[in-house]
């Protein structure tokens, strides 16, 4: 029995890592992307855009945490969080380079 206990806990640990780390990465990436996008498409001041995007990142993170434990398939969870994190940070860094280059 003690040998199978760590193996049965592995999916829970992987889900926790995905929920906490992956959810944070996605929420932070979306906040960075939104903080860069809002001043470009609206007359909003940059500092207000940063505050607004940071405030909006909290419910996004909460929704991702809840979804991480509602999702039945662990592989889908990792794939969605990984692709969203890479995409949001990729777009944010690309937009940051465009904004600073001009």
């Amino acid at each position: 029995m003690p040998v199978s206990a760590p193996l049965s806990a592995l999916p829970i640990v992987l889900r926790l890592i995905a929920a906490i780390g992956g959810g944070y990465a996605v929420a932070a990436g979306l906040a960075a992307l939104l903080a860069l996008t809002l001043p470009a498409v609206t007359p909003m001041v940059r500092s207000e855009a940063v505050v607004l995007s940071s405030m909006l990142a909290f419910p996004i993170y909460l929704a991702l945490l809840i979804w991480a434990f509602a999702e039945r398939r662990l592989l889908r969870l990792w794939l969605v969080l990984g692709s969203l994190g890479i995409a949001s940070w990729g777009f944010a860094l690309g937009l940051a380079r465009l904004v600073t280059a001009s």
Side-chain angles (χ1 to χ4, degrees), residues 15-40:
R15 192 171 296 273
L16 275 170
I17 292 170
I20 296 169
Y24 181 81
V26 171
L30 290 175
L33 183 61
L34 190 62
L36 289 168
T37 306
L38 280 175

Side-chain angles (χ1 to χ4, degrees), residues 3-89:
V3 174
S4 65
L7 293 178
S8 66
L10 184 63
I12 297 170
V13 171
L14 289 174
R15 192 171 296 273
L16 275 170
I17 292 170
I20 296 169
Y24 181 81
V26 171
L30 290 175
L33 183 61
L34 190 62
L36 289 168
T37 306
L38 280 175
V41 298
T42 64
M44 187 178 292
V45 181
R46 186 174 170 191
S47 60
E48 291 177 359
V50 170
V51 170
L52 178 63
S53 63
S54 297
M55 288 171 45
L56 290 175
F58 286 107
I60 292 171
Y61 184 50
L62 177 63
L64 289 171
L65 283 174
I66 292 171
W67 174 73
F69 288 99
E71 175 59 46
R72 290 183 180 217
R73 290 186 248 166
L74 188 59
L75 181 62
R76 183 191 301 177
L77 172 67
W78 276 93
L79 289 175
V80 168
L81 288 178
S83 60
L84 282 176
I86 290 170
S88 63
W89 278 107

